[in-house]
Amino acid sequence: MGKQTNIRLDDAVKAAAEDRAKRRGLSLQRYVADLIEADVNQSRAAFMAGAAAFLAAYTEEFEAEVGEDRYPGLPDKLAETAPKDAA
């Protein structure tokens, strides 16, 4: 179960949001939560894609700097279970 958050909306915005929620068969609360979750997930996905592209572009440089040990400082037992293709 999530935490409760209170927001203030202009009357016209609230009415429009309630209308859109109703058309989707959702409560206003679920509609707003879905919008926020979609925005957060989109931002997270964009960040992860950018990070993966960055790592892919500099793979040779990272391997030259770090060598074969892809998980420096990680205990051997944990390094063995780490994903082989972390990109």
Side-chain angles (χ1 to χ4, degrees):
M1 175 173 260
K3 298 279 185 177
Q4 181 174 337
T5 300
N6 295 316
I7 59 171
R8 293 186 189 278
L9 299 173
D10 177 273
D11 289 339
V13 171
K14 183 180 180 208
E18 287 173 331
D19 183 55
R20 289 181 184 210
K22 183 178 179 181
R23 283 189 271 149
R24 289 171 172 80
L26 302 171
S27 67
L28 178 60
Q29 178 180 345
R30 182 73 256 158
Y31 174 68
V32 171
D34 286 353
L35 288 174
I36 293 169
E37 187 174 331
D39 184 60
V40 168
N41 288 337
Q42 181 179 6
S43 295
R44 182 179 295 130
F47 172 81
M48 294 304 289
F54 175 82
L55 291 172
Y58 291 97
T59 297
E60 291 179 13
E61 288 82 354
F62 288 136
E63 287 180 359
E65 180 73 24
V66 179
E68 290 295 317
D69 184 4
R70 293 182 137 188
Y71 305 96
L74 193 64
D76 289 339
K77 187 160 184 102
L78 290 176
E80 291 171 9
T81 62
K84 300 297 182 212
D85 295 314

